[in-house]
Each structure stands twice: as C-alpha cells, then as structure tokens.
Amino acid sequence: MIENLVIVESPAKAKTIEKFLGKDFKVVSSFGHIRDLAKKNLGIDIKGGFIPDYEIPKDKIKVVNELRKAASEAKTVWIASDEDREGEAIAWHLVEVLNLDPQKTRRIVFHEITKSAIEEAIKSPRTVDMNLVNAQQARRILDRLVGFEISPVLWKKVQPALSAGRVQSVAVRLIVEREREIINFKPESSFKVTGIFNTSSEAAAGENSFKAEAVTKFHNEDEAVRFLEICREATFTVKNVTVKPGTRSPAPPFITSTLQQEAYRKLGFSVSQTMAIAQKLYEEGKITYMRTDSTNLSRMALAKIRDVIVNEYGEKYSKVRQYKTTSKGAQEAHEAIRPTYPEKATITGTQAEKRLYELIWKRTIASQMADAQIEKTIIAIEMNNSPVIFNAYGEVILFDGFLKVYSESQDIEGSEDEKAILPRVNTGMKLFYEKITAIEKYTSPPPRYTEASLVKKLEELGIGRPSTYAPIISTIQQRGYVARENRPGEKRKITVLDLTGGNITRAIKTEIFGKEKSKLFPKDIGMIVNDFLMENFSEIVDYNFTAEVEEQFDKIASGQLAWNKMLENFYGPFHKTVENTLEKRNKTTGTRILGIHPETGETISVKMGKYGPVVQAVHPEKSDKPRFASLQRNQLIETITLEEAVKLFSLPRSLGTYEGDEIIVGTGRFGPFVKYKNKFYSLKRNIDDPYLITLERAIEIIKEKDIADKQKIIKDFGEIKVLNGKYGAYINYKSENYRIPKGTSVNDLTEEECMKIIEKKQKSGK
DNA sequence: CAGTGAGCGAGCTTCCGCTTGACTT
C-alpha cells in the first residue's frame, strides 16, 4: 500500500520531485496525454453535440496499466500535471481512465520545482477545473474538425495524402507569401557615399583616420560623379560633435522559441537538433524544462544566479530582474529555460551539448546582470560648397555590464552599424579626406524564413505551442509544401567611384546577391494548396484565426461560454463551406499556359502532374500524345518562362560516342545525369549544366566515378561483393546489403564465409 | 536510384499538443 501517489507529466520531473517529498510519496509520470480522439474516423459525434470518442493510443496502454495499478494501491492520488489547459485536461483524463473519485483526487500545481514550492502546493489542493478542461476539449475537437474535413477536400481536388490544419496551413502561407514578395521585388540601385577623413593632411594613411557616411544618397552615377567633383574642391569642417550617454539591457532568459532562434544564429543548429540536445540536457538534470513560453525564474534561481554574478564579476555587475512574458497565447506552466545549477558554467558531454548548455548559461546569467553603459558619439562634418553632411558614428563602452557575458545575435547579417572609436575633434576643426567612395548599392527583398525565424513569426501570431514548433516545421516539409534549400546566388555588376588625391577613378566590380543557405522555399504543391485554401477557406488560413478562437477558449475556461455552443457556431458555416467546395470546385492543377513552341508550334503549358510539376507540349492540329518534361529542382510553376520550358524538352540528348558506346545526358528523379553503357553518373550540382555539358566533361565524370567505384570494392567474388561503405565494410549480394559481424578480419574473408553470413541473416530475417 | 503523365477503382492518406523511448540502418 502506498500512502500517496503523485502523477506528473514528465518522468524527469517525477524523479526530481520524489527526492523532495520523502518516503510517504511515490511519484510517477503519465508521459503527457494518455487519451486522444479515436485515431481512425473523425472521433467526434457531431450530431450528438460534438461528443468526443476518446481512446488510449497503443503506445500509452502500458503506461496506463501501470498507472492504474499504482492508483489502486494508493490511499490518496495527487495529480500534478502542468497548470495550463492541456495539463488540466491530462488531469481529467487521468481521473476518468484511472477511475478516481473526483472529490477525493487532489489536483495540485507546482509553480517551481523546489522543496518549499512543492510543500506549498501540497497544502492547497483543489479539484479538477472542468471549465478549463472543456476549453481544451473544444480546442482539440476544433483542430480535428478543421484537419479532418479540409484534408479530404484536398485529396479530391488537388492531390492525395495532402493535409491542412489551423497551424500548418498558416505556416505554409507565410512562406508562400514571402516568396511572392521576393518574386515581385524590383531592386533599385543608388550610390552611397562614404569618406575616410583625417585631422591632419599629412598623417600616414590609416593613422587617426575615421570613416563617415554622407547622409544623402545619390540616384545615379552622374549625380554621384558630380558630388565627388564637388568633394574634390571642398573644405571639410567639423560642424558639431554630439555625445550621448546610453544604456543597453540584456535579453530575457530563454524560452523555447528564443532558444531555437539563438541556437540557429549562434551555433547553426536546426530547430529539431536544438530540441533533441535540450531534451538530453533536461533528462540529465542539467537544465530546466525546454518546452516553455515563460521567461520567469524561480526565486531560488534568482538568488543563486546573483551569487554567481557577485562572486565572478562583483556586486556592481548584478541586477536582479524579473521579466514579463510578452508572447501571445502564453500559458506559463513552466520556468524559463535555465541551468539547474547556475554555478556550473560548463558541463561534460558531447560538443553540441556543451555548446548549447553554455549558450543557456550565458543567456541566463546575462539576464540578471547590470545594463551596459555606452557613450555614443556622432561627428557631423559639413562642406563649404554643398549642403551634404557626413556623419561619423562612434561608440565607447563605459561599463560593459551584461555584455561581459552575452550579446544577442541579429537575424540579418551586418544589420548592426559599424561602430568605431573616433578621435577627439572640436567644432570648427578642419578635416582632410583620404578617400571618398561612392558605391552602388541595390535594395534587397525581404529575407526568406529560416526554420528559426518562422518559429519566431508563428509565436508572434500566437500560433503553435513550444511543444509543436519543431514538429510543425517537419510536417510542412514532409508534405512537400516547403523545402529547406540553398541557392548559390547570382552575380551583378556594381559601379564604384573613388576620389583619392584629387583623382576620380571608376571601377566595375561584381557582387553576389541572392545567396541563400538553409532557407525555407515553397514548392509548387505548397503554393497550389495555399491558393486553394485562400480561395475556399480564407477564414482558417487567416493570420487572426487562432487568436480569435483562443479568445473563445478563454471564455469557455472562465465559464462564460459553453464549449459545445462554441463548436456549433464554428462548425455550421464551416461545414457548409466544405460541402460547397466539394460540390463546386474542379480539380486544381495550377495550370498556366506559357505560349507557343517557336519551332514546333505546340502549345506549351505547365502544371502539377501526377509525379510533380511538368511542362506539357500539345500540338493544336496533330493528335499526337502530348510531350512531357519535369521541371528542374529550382524552377516553379509560377515563375517558369516559355524559353525555360522549351529548353526542358531538349533532354534527354546524345552527346556522341565514347569507345563505341553512346553517352546520353538527361535529368531524372535525382537530378541531371549522364548514361553510359547502362550505368548512370550524376552531374555535379552547381558545376555541370546538362544543357551545356560537353562530351569531354561527360567522359571525365564517367572515369572519375568508375575509379571511385573500384576503390569501393574490397573483394569481388562475382555475385557476392565486399564493399567499403560509409560505416565500414559490408557484403552486397543480389542488391541486398549484409552486415559483417564484429571482429571479422575483412581482408581475409572468403566467398564461403560471406555466403554463411548471408544465409544466417536470411534465416533470422524471416 | 534515374524510364514515368490512358483510365478505372479499392484502399489509403489527414489535425494539434502533451510526453518519451522503441524501432532499424
């Protein structure tokens, strides 16, 4: 018999809490939700008044059985799931599934995981709050209705196996709309003028010199040249010097979304990588819970952090701060993400674990440190023959404060102005230019989303939760709506004008623009689905939809609105839209007619085909079968031109013969290739172009790969081969691979021994 | 690994949020 059974959501939390509670308490975990809507079918009896049909998922049966057993042996059951909507629902499901007496079951919440907080919680138990539970049920049912009614519409009208939902569809919309902004963006250029000035005309170049930029931009080269000619004749004097004291404050401690952003910016971790590493740190007791939207730090943590700062950096570096959570829809069931033991600045573990921990440690410590004191200086320089002013910006840190430990990164590279140390100058002082440069600058389109910046945007909109940011990102990629891709960038010419020693020189330089690394690009199917949803389900993909239903969930939680009434109001019009769309809409393929093939007279169009986007050529008079060609990886239905489409039909083509056999170049499922003697050779990405490749280059690729393949072969017994792979040697037989048992000397393997390994696996496998 | 795109029909796909392992390769 157990005196007290406490149920929490996470096993790591259970372990910690058990230590605080002593012998009379047994603490176990529910591993999150233990029941959900039926997996098959809708799982909701709509006519009966939106009655949910709950079932215990397969992977939860074991946990539930253990919980049932423990509960039946306990005198008192305490449910300590999180203090939010989902946590309350977990508590209610536990009461139902474990057959607990609602009046005798004690619902408690921990505001922080400390002995005193837990003891405090034990003193004030309550019963399960059914209003809050109903708000969760309404949320759950609404999401199921939206997802399971719209997705089948997509299967019928667009393509099988697609999906739509309150959260994922908005995420896709953000990426599609951003891409269209970029497609429609027209870069404009202007000339930015910067000068390097010096207080003396004789100083050696660089010594005591400083940079200043002209406040005015010049529209074109003529204007820029004219201005440099004026500069050539000008006398420059210091107009005034402004010195402004300023302060900078640290960023709040990490929550899930900010951790994902900073880990991406500073460490280059993907959202899912960050979460996996954080999970590990959490399980090892090194950090607090990693799925949180609260910037709150426990009182105990605040005190410990203060000690660390005072010991390490001194009293004047400490400033105790409590941050307010600003994000929309925050439910604040946990603390901020912080080191469990702030006195440990480093840990043992893998390189990635160490780096992520260090990032969390620095951010946490910095958040409790003093403001940095800065002195900003602006030197304004005037000209005797022009109204244009040059400004030099300088910054001196008088007291580093939190900057000693941590400074937050920006999303856009180079967005921070260059801040230099300026020489002492006085108003009226004469200045001499060393060099004045007018450089052509193009405006840039808005940036594409990274995984982390998408999470940031979703959080701003109040869409998704800390536990779902990473899964959302993988879902929209799995469905093929978006993809994380790189782009090599394009070259463009820019004009640079230099004025030195009275001479103006002009140079043309090239710059690379549009280079992208690991950015989210929409795919054709994402754009088609998005347009379809915008046209037919604009309410669901509206950026405010979540916020609006959240308001109603809040009303349900406070008892002002009945949950089934809310669902009825939503479902009535929604379901009508679903039926109308099913009835009226034709199948969407996103077809665009591009024009007429200049040589054959065929009509060229582009659309979403069965296996992906294709261009199609149909002759208006002849009744031949249409010709098809797949789009290339970086082409979109929306932007492909007639010229590019026509080019796609020129593959596959023959390059000629090599040692009597033909070499054919084409493009397939895995990109461009050459085919020789029935063997395929991939072209090198970003180096070879299937439309331009020469016979010589093709032969080179073939030879290279043949050599590489030969090195791969350790032993060749004909049908059986011993090959060298990424993870060491393995056996290949009839296009199946077999692992070589550990401790085998690979070089001494005989054909018979290989066959034994193969037979052994074939027997055990089936 | 690389070709595919006629048409029919059966049977399948799908949501969001809470939590960790259990599975191969």
Side-chain angles (χ1 to χ4, degrees):
Chain A
M1 195 77 190
I2 316 160
E3 197 66 28
N4 296 288
L5 181 74
V6 183
I7 306 175
V8 297
E9 289 181 40
S10 139
K13 198 170 169 180
K15 235 170 76 187
T16 322
I17 289 168
E18 196 157 43
K19 277 191 276 181
F20 292 125
L21 282 172
K23 276 198 304 266
D24 295 340
F25 287 83
K26 187 180 166 156
V27 187
V28 293
S29 155
S30 76
F31 293 80
H33 275 293
I34 52 152
R35 263 206 319 195
D36 192 15
L37 294 176
K39 209 165 175 287
K40 296 208 165 173
N41 312 323
L42 189 62
I44 302 160
D45 174 9
I46 294 170
K47 283 193 185 125
F50 302 96
I51 304 305
D53 172 19
Y54 289 118
E55 64 180 27
I56 299 165
K58 247 195 193 151
D59 58 335
K60 286 288 161 61
I61 290 173
K62 206 178 139 208
V63 184
V64 168
N65 284 338
E66 282 165 9
L67 288 171
R68 274 194 183 123
K69 187 162 172 282
S72 68
E73 289 168 357
K75 258 194 197 158
T76 311
V77 177
W78 306 72
I79 302 181
S81 47
D82 295 343
E83 188 184 26
D84 60 13
R85 203 163 62 201
E86 299 296 326
E88 203 66 19
I90 289 173
W92 176 70
H93 283 300
L94 283 169
V95 169
E96 293 257 306
V97 172
L98 306 184
N99 245 328
L100 305 175
D101 181 340
Q103 289 315 308
K104 281 194 194 154
T105 303
R106 302 190 184 172
R107 169 80 171 114
I108 50 170
V109 293
F110 304 138
H111 293 106
E112 48 184 75
I113 311 300
T114 58
K115 194 168 195 306
S116 62
I118 290 165
E119 282 166 354
E120 199 65 31
I122 296 280
K123 276 185 211 151
S124 48
R126 57 175 174 82
T127 53
V128 172
D129 177 351
M130 278 317 288
N131 286 333
L132 198 50
V133 172
N134 288 337
Q136 192 275 348
Q137 298 201 81
R139 198 279 306 154
R140 179 69 191 91
I141 292 168
L142 180 121
D143 281 337
R144 174 57 74 88
L145 289 171
V146 169
F148 276 38
E149 291 220 359
I150 300 183
S151 297
V153 177
L154 294 178
W155 304 342
K156 291 194 186 82
K157 302 296 180 185
V158 185
Q159 213 174 73
L162 295 174
S163 66
R166 172 175 61 81
V167 174
Q168 60 168 280
S169 297
V170 176
V172 173
R173 180 181 170 191
L174 284 164
I175 293 163
V176 169
E177 288 189 347
R178 178 56 56 85
E179 192 67 21
R180 290 195 169 130
E181 280 177 60
I182 295 167
I183 291 167
N184 294 324
F185 184 80
K186 303 263 182 298
E188 284 172 13
S189 84
S190 62
F191 284 76
K192 186 183 167 192
V193 177
T194 53
I196 296 174
F197 292 93
N198 205 300
T199 48
S200 150
S201 63
E202 282 144 31
E207 189 188 325
N208 236 346
S209 57
F210 62 97
K211 204 170 165 186
E213 51 187 73
V215 174
T216 317
K217 277 192 180 134
F218 300 90
H219 294 101
N220 52 46
E221 191 178 337
D222 283 352
E223 280 184 29
V225 170
R226 232 172 293 145
F227 179 68
L228 289 189
E229 284 167 356
I230 293 169
C231 287
R232 182 163 55 192
E233 311 302 330
T235 315
F236 297 92
T237 44
V238 174
K239 185 172 181 240
N240 55 51
V241 181
T242 329
V243 180
K244 264 193 215 155
T247 60
R248 219 178 294 160
S249 303
F254 280 133
I255 58 178
T256 305
S257 60
T258 50
L259 176 68
Q260 290 171 350
Q261 286 155 46
E262 281 287 273
Y264 174 78
R265 294 191 286 221
K266 285 201 152 88
L267 310 177
F269 293 170
S270 72
V271 163
S272 60
Q273 248 180 316
T274 299
M275 293 312 283
I277 300 164
Q279 173 87 32
K280 188 92 188 297
L281 293 173
Y282 167 67
E283 284 169 11
E284 288 170 352
K286 293 181 174 122
I287 61 168
T288 55
Y289 197 58
M290 64 285 154
R291 290 185 278 262
T292 176
D293 52 18
S294 169
T295 52
N296 196 53
L297 294 172
S298 74
R299 263 192 285 159
M300 197 193 70
L302 287 175
K304 268 195 185 171
I305 295 165
R306 200 189 118 77
D307 284 351
V308 171
I309 295 167
V310 172
N311 282 337
E312 198 72 22
Y313 309 104
E315 178 72 45
K316 68 173 180 175
Y317 277 93
S318 161
K319 183 175 179 188
V320 177
R321 306 165 189 262
Q322 198 55 275
Y323 294 86
K324 280 224 169 69
T325 300
T326 47
S327 65
K328 226 193 242 180
Q331 306 196 5
E332 302 208 60
H334 302 96
E335 259 191 273
I337 305 169
R338 63 163 173 92
T340 320
Y341 305 104
E343 61 273 23
K344 288 187 184 162
T346 53
I347 54 156
T348 54
T350 65
Q351 202 54 33
E353 286 164 25
K354 282 182 188 169
R355 294 176 77 200
L356 192 70
Y357 179 85
E358 214 169 287
L359 187 72
I360 294 167
W361 184 83
K362 285 182 174 173
R363 174 90 164 211
T364 309
I365 299 294
S367 81
Q368 297 302 316
M369 288 177 76
D371 288 346
Q373 305 293 331
I374 311 160
E375 188 181 82
K376 286 182 181 171
T377 306
I378 302 173
I379 302 175
I381 302 162
E382 62 184 347
M383 299 164 66
N384 67 327
N385 57 354
S386 162
V388 174
I389 301 284
F390 282 82
N391 277 333
Y393 300 93
E395 192 176 283
V396 178
I397 294 172
L398 300 175
F399 173 62
D400 53 358
F402 76 94
L403 290 175
K404 203 172 191 75
V405 175
Y406 182 92
S407 135
E408 192 175 26
S409 299
Q410 303 290 315
D411 265 333
I412 304 159
E413 286 161 44
S415 65
E416 276 183 64
D417 300 326
E418 266 180 65
K419 279 154 197 155
I421 294 171
L422 298 174
R424 294 208 170 276
V425 294
N426 299 316
T427 302
M429 193 185 258
K430 212 169 165 190
L431 295 172
F432 305 89
Y433 76 84
E434 281 174 15
K435 184 180 183 181
I436 296 179
T437 304
I439 185 165
E440 190 176 16
K441 291 266 183 203
Y442 281 90
T443 51
S444 356
R448 288 195 176 84
Y449 286 105
T450 62
E451 290 187 353
S453 70
L454 181 66
V455 167
K456 183 181 179 187
K457 183 71 191 173
L458 289 172
E459 188 190 38
E460 278 168 20
L461 294 167
I463 297 172
R465 305 274 319 128
S467 64
T468 59
Y469 295 138
I472 291 163
I473 302 240
S474 69
T475 300
I476 60 178
Q477 292 182 64
Q478 263 170 29
R479 301 273 173 278
Y481 293 150
V482 309
R484 218 173 56 180
E485 284 177 9
N486 304 327
R487 290 284 186 276
E490 291 169 62
K491 283 180 187 154
R492 77 182 154 205
K493 301 241 179 295
I494 53 164
T495 306
V496 181
L497 304 161
D498 272 330
L499 166 63
T500 40
N503 295 319
I504 297 173
T505 53
R506 177 179 190 269
I508 302 292
K509 292 191 175 163
T510 50
E511 68 172 7
I512 305 240
F513 72 102
K515 189 175 176 197
E516 296 280 29
K517 211 177 159 231
S518 245
K519 294 289 172 61
L520 295 171
F521 287 78
K523 307 300 285 178
D524 290 300
I525 194 64
M527 297 178 106
I528 290 169
V529 166
N530 179 63
D531 292 350
F532 183 87
L533 295 176
M534 289 292 284
E535 244 173 77
N536 300 289
F537 297 96
S538 57
E539 186 198 0
I540 306 298
V541 286
D542 191 298
Y543 292 129
N544 287 319
F545 178 64
T546 291
E548 279 160 18
V549 291
E550 278 293 339
E551 245 175 65
Q552 299 183 53
F553 297 147
D554 285 347
K555 279 191 182 162
I556 296 170
S558 63
Q560 295 167 275
L561 180 62
W563 68 278
N564 47 6
K565 184 79 199 156
M566 183 252 159
L567 287 172
E568 206 179 290
N569 291 343
F570 165 75
Y571 187 73
F574 169 72
H575 185 66
K576 219 169 257 164
T577 312
V578 170
E579 286 191 325
N580 279 341
T581 311
L582 277 174
E583 195 182 319
K584 286 181 188 155
R585 283 289 307 231
N586 292 322
K587 207 168 154 106
T588 308
T589 52
T591 307
R592 272 178 70 220
I593 304 222
L594 297 178
I596 307 294
H597 193 300
E599 283 154 27
T600 65
E602 292 159 308
T603 303
I604 308 288
S605 59
V606 57
K607 65 168 192 179
M608 184 49 84
K610 215 156 126 189
Y611 308 105
V614 283
V615 284
Q616 185 178 344
V618 186
H619 202 281
E621 281 141 34
K622 298 178 198 159
S623 61
D624 296 350
K625 259 203 199 169
R627 295 198 292 150
F628 292 96
S630 292
L631 264 65
Q632 288 190 304
R633 209 180 290 248
N634 56 1
Q635 290 176 322
L636 283 176
I637 289 178
E638 190 151 324
T639 52
I640 191 170
T641 61
L642 177 64
E643 205 188 358
E644 290 164 339
V646 166
K647 210 172 146 189
L648 290 173
F649 287 108
S650 66
L651 292 181
R653 67 191 175 98
S654 174
L655 284 176
T657 56
Y658 171 55
E659 291 180 354
D661 286 290
E662 201 179 19
I663 299 183
I664 289 170
V665 57
T667 179
R669 204 145 73 90
F670 305 100
F673 62 87
V674 289
K675 193 176 167 193
Y676 177 65
K677 287 188 183 170
N678 263 330
K679 214 173 142 188
F680 290 91
Y681 302 83
S682 288
L683 299 196
K684 294 260 184 322
R685 249 213 239 186
N686 299 334
I687 294 176
D688 295 311
D689 182 328
Y691 299 100
L692 302 174
I693 193 166
T694 59
L695 180 64
E696 289 70 36
R697 173 66 186 146
I699 293 168
E700 208 178 298
I701 291 171
I702 291 166
K703 282 183 174 166
E704 251 177 53
K705 174 139 197 275
D706 283 347
I707 291 170
D709 282 353
K710 261 194 199 132
Q711 284 171 346
K712 219 179 127 182
I713 302 172
I714 299 171
K715 298 233 159 169
D716 190 345
F717 302 119
E719 269 204 311
I720 300 173
K721 287 183 178 65
V722 182
L723 302 174
N724 211 350
K726 235 196 316 191
Y727 311 109
Y730 64 98
I731 297 166
N732 177 272
Y733 173 66
K734 288 186 179 169
S735 71
E736 293 255 9
N737 295 336
Y738 301 87
R739 214 185 321 189
I740 297 170
K742 266 183 200 163
T744 313
S745 167
V746 177
N747 288 321
D748 303 334
L749 266 177
T750 63
E751 188 174 0
E752 290 71 38
E753 284 167 334
C754 288
M755 202 60 221
K756 268 186 205 159
I757 294 170
I758 293 165
E759 279 168 356
K760 201 173 164 195
K761 174 165 175 205
Q762 283 173 341
K763 269 184 206 157
S764 70
K766 285 166 194 175

